[in-house]
Amino acid sequence: MNKKIIIAIDGYSSTGKSTVARQLAKRLGYIYVDTGAMYRAVTLYAMQHNYIGPDHFDKDALEKCLPLIHIRFEVSSTTGLAEVLLNDVNVEKQIRTLEVSRLVSPVAAVSKVRKKLVEQQQLMGIDKGIVMDGRDIGTVVFPDAELKLFMTATAKDRAERRYKELVDRGENVTYEDVLKNVVNRDHIDSTRKDSPLRKAANAIQIDNSNLTLDEQFHQILGIAQKAIMQVN
Ligand code: DC
């Protein structure tokens, strides 16, 4: 039998981690888990209950409510993609707005939030055969993952991609705001105390600034196939 592995993909925001993770999972017949969506869903909950806003964050109130927050994924029958559910409500669209992007990093810096989500993520990977993307997958969630990738691209390239995505989705944003958000999240995500974003010592770094999606996919697929061959 073909033994399955865990593929951990980490990197800065908007480096195209989820695109390649999804492509890879599809090709390998693995499960794809977007852990950023889980942090975004907790952020949306905090926004809905007014625990967080542009000028305030009641961290204690959010921590107290954590047992009431249930996050799971469900494959959409229309798109075939996994979508995130917050307390059984599909919030896939709401969690992708710039408003959530602006507030997610402080929420993701809360240790109790991280503990809850990391435990859930580790359970998801118990049978392996999983591609998980985030910031701490190779360092904290699955430090023994058979394959770890670390994606980078310049802030300018990432902001351009993200701006295009948001505009295509009908959001009224400026490129400057998106660039500011990308740079700000990089800073908070990589300087927070608990599980800061960093490259695991044994992760393979991929800079995709000058790669097309197709080139990136084939490069990473080759690396993944080699890693799978090594365990079989
Ligand atoms: O991947 P993303 O941009 O959707 O992630 C949203 C935020 O969640 C990101 O700014 C940092 C945080 N995050 C995290 O701290 N750890 C993860 N494993 C995934 C995301």
Side-chain angles (χ1 to χ4, degrees):
M1 212 189 90
N2 209 358
K3 273 200 214 147
K4 294 188 168 187
I5 65 168
I6 291 181
I7 302 178
I9 306 185
D10 290 303
Y12 292 96
S13 62
S14 307
T15 38
K17 301 183 295 292
S18 60
T19 304
V20 75
R22 199 176 281 124
Q23 288 172 317
L24 209 52
K26 191 168 175 209
R27 174 65 71 92
L28 299 172
Y30 280 20
I31 290 167
Y32 163 57
V33 179
D34 170 1
T35 63
M38 300 171 77
Y39 289 93
R40 286 172 181 271
V42 174
T43 305
L44 183 67
Y45 182 95
M47 288 161 65
Q48 287 168 342
H49 291 79
N50 201 26
Y51 299 148
I52 196 166
D55 307 310
H56 70 282
F57 181 19
D58 188 345
K59 189 175 143 227
D60 289 347
L62 175 63
E63 286 179 347
K64 283 204 187 83
C65 284
L66 283 177
L68 305 177
I69 303 179
H70 301 286
I71 293 163
R72 63 187 175 89
F73 290 93
E74 203 170 73
V75 176
S76 150
S77 54
T78 39
T79 62
L81 302 175
E83 298 191 335
V84 71
L85 275 74
L86 168 63
N87 292 340
D88 292 322
V89 178
N90 188 316
V91 291
E92 185 59 35
K93 277 215 179 76
Q94 284 116 290
I95 62 162
R96 307 289 167 192
T97 59
L98 188 57
E99 205 188 346
V100 171
S101 297
R102 282 200 186 107
L103 300 175
V104 65
S105 284
V107 170
V110 177
S111 289
K112 286 187 181 158
V113 170
R114 302 204 69 80
K115 186 169 179 291
K116 176 186 169 90
L117 298 187
V118 166
E119 280 170 9
Q120 192 179 345
Q121 290 153 10
Q122 288 171 332
L123 284 175
M124 290 170 170
I126 216 152
D127 294 325
K128 303 212 173 188
I130 195 163
V131 184
M132 192 174 274
D133 82 55
R135 305 291 189 289
D136 59 342
I137 313 304
T139 50
V140 175
V141 182
F142 296 122
D144 298 325
E146 290 82 356
L147 176 60
K148 299 179 187 178
L149 300 170
F150 191 83
M151 316 269 297
T152 63
T154 64
K156 189 175 148 287
D157 278 313
R158 291 184 284 131
E160 268 166 19
R161 286 182 210 153
R162 187 99 192 105
Y163 172 67
K164 198 175 166 299
E165 260 173 46
L166 289 167
V167 169
D168 285 350
R169 241 185 272 143
E171 275 219 48
N172 187 12
V173 292
T174 66
Y175 169 76
E176 286 68 32
D177 279 347
V178 176
L179 178 64
K180 220 193 279 169
N181 176 252
V182 161
V183 172
N184 193 34
R185 278 204 289 152
D186 284 356
H187 176 71
I188 302 180
D189 295 345
S190 51
T191 55
R192 69 180 174 220
K193 273 211 191 82
D194 190 346
S195 322
L197 167 67
R198 62 181 169 77
K199 177 181 167 295
N202 54 352
I204 300 172
Q205 184 157 331
I206 312 268
D207 183 330
N208 64 15
S209 302
N210 296 308
L211 293 178
T212 65
L213 280 184
D214 208 44
E215 285 166 347
Q216 163 177 278
F217 173 57
H218 285 97
Q219 180 180 348
I220 294 179
L221 180 63
I223 296 172
Q225 284 167 335
K226 211 165 124 197
I228 293 169
M229 258 162 52
Q230 275 167 359
V231 301
N232 282 286

